[in-house]
Amino acid sequence: MPVWLEAGLWGLLAGGALVIGAAIAWFVHVPQRVVASVMAFGSGVLISALSFDLVDEAETTGGLVPTLLGFAGGALVYVAANVALARRGAAHRKRSQEQQPSEDEQEGSGAAIAVGALLDGVPESVVLGLTLLGGGGVGVPVLAAIFISNLPEGLSSASGMKANGRSARYVFGVWGGIAVASGLAGMLGVLLLEGASPDTIAVITAVAAGAILAMVADTMIPEAFERTHLYAGLIAAAGFMIAFGLERA
């Protein structure tokens, strides 16, 4: 199987967790505390993966300065895009209650939420595809971290969409579209960077890692803290510890 096709399929699988989470939220009542706890756990898992599988690898391959510059650049670009989308109604796109505005409350918020979800998912998928370029197969810790974090993201956001009157067509259209886009992002990442120098791949990986950390802090941790409060840190630490232990085992 071509590497670019494999990257696309892995990206589709990881993005599919968003659809699974959305389906759970749509058909089953999940207590808010459970949603927040899973979000906190997913945050810890994702932080572990970007720390030890992405940034560490980027620094080893490309050096400290390019890694730091790429990481800062990724965070800055993500935050700038997120601020622009927040002004159009996407600030609370991962919140599970009624913080998300309806289309009646803010026109265009539905499109902004969809674009925001895409913004959150693309860096993860690109990184997942890049793990295949070394020839050793997909990075299992990165795949697991993205899947585990995507599940509560889809669950929480879809719960908020449903609470604010979004239709099933909209909810599953958004998350199904993001899953497909995740596959395409992984595929394009490999197609564009296959044959690139290790230094280039390291910088791109660092850029994506910076965007992912900014996303976790901006959109996942607030939802996790809202219901679990002082326990959010402990649950996130457990997710980090388990992911790190599995990666090193």
Side-chain angles (χ1 to χ4, degrees):
M1 180 185 298
V3 176
W4 59 268
L5 180 57
E6 186 178 354
L9 293 175
W10 285 120
L12 181 63
L13 174 64
L18 294 165
V19 182
I20 295 172
I24 293 172
W26 192 265
F27 295 108
V28 179
H29 173 69
V30 181
Q32 299 298 327
R33 190 176 292 273
V34 173
V35 175
S37 297
V38 178
M39 188 73 84
F41 184 84
S43 298
V45 170
L46 206 50
I47 291 172
S48 174
L50 69 89
S51 298
F52 299 103
D53 292 288
L54 302 183
V55 177
D56 182 63
E57 179 66 23
E59 190 276 330
T60 301
T61 304
L64 179 61
V65 173
T67 299
L68 292 178
L69 290 175
F71 190 88
L76 285 170
V77 170
Y78 176 89
V79 170
N82 196 45
V83 168
L85 289 168
R87 291 172 178 168
R88 290 164 173 77
H92 300 295
R93 58 185 176 274
K94 284 188 172 62
R95 309 303 287 273
S96 60
Q97 299 180 70
E98 296 183 356
Q99 298 97 331
Q100 295 182 24
S102 66
E103 197 67 23
D104 292 336
E105 292 170 329
Q106 186 167 354
E107 185 177 355
S109 60
I113 290 170
V115 174
L118 181 62
L119 174 70
D120 298 336
V122 166
E124 298 172 342
S125 301
V126 170
V127 162
L128 187 58
L130 293 181
T131 64
L132 291 163
L133 292 180
V138 70
V140 175
V142 178
L143 173 64
I146 294 173
F147 191 94
I148 292 171
S149 66
N150 277 350
L151 189 65
E153 285 183 47
L155 197 159
S156 180
S157 186
S159 178
M161 291 175 182
K162 184 178 180 181
N164 283 279
R166 306 282 183 189
S167 67
R169 176 180 294 183
Y170 172 83
V171 171
F172 291 103
V174 166
W175 295 118
I178 299 306
V180 172
S182 296
L184 291 174
M187 183 186 303
L188 288 173
V190 168
L191 285 172
L192 294 174
L193 294 171
E194 191 170 15
S197 68
D199 289 350
T200 299
I201 294 175
V203 171
I204 298 299
T205 300
V207 168
I212 291 170
L213 182 58
M215 181 272 291
V216 170
D218 282 350
T219 65
M220 293 181 67
I221 291 176
E223 172 65 19
F225 180 79
E226 183 167 350
R227 286 289 176 172
T228 57
H229 297 300
L230 298 180
Y231 295 103
L234 180 62
I235 298 169
F240 183 98
M241 179 181 65
I242 292 171
F244 177 68
L246 291 175
E247 194 272 334
R248 294 302 173 97

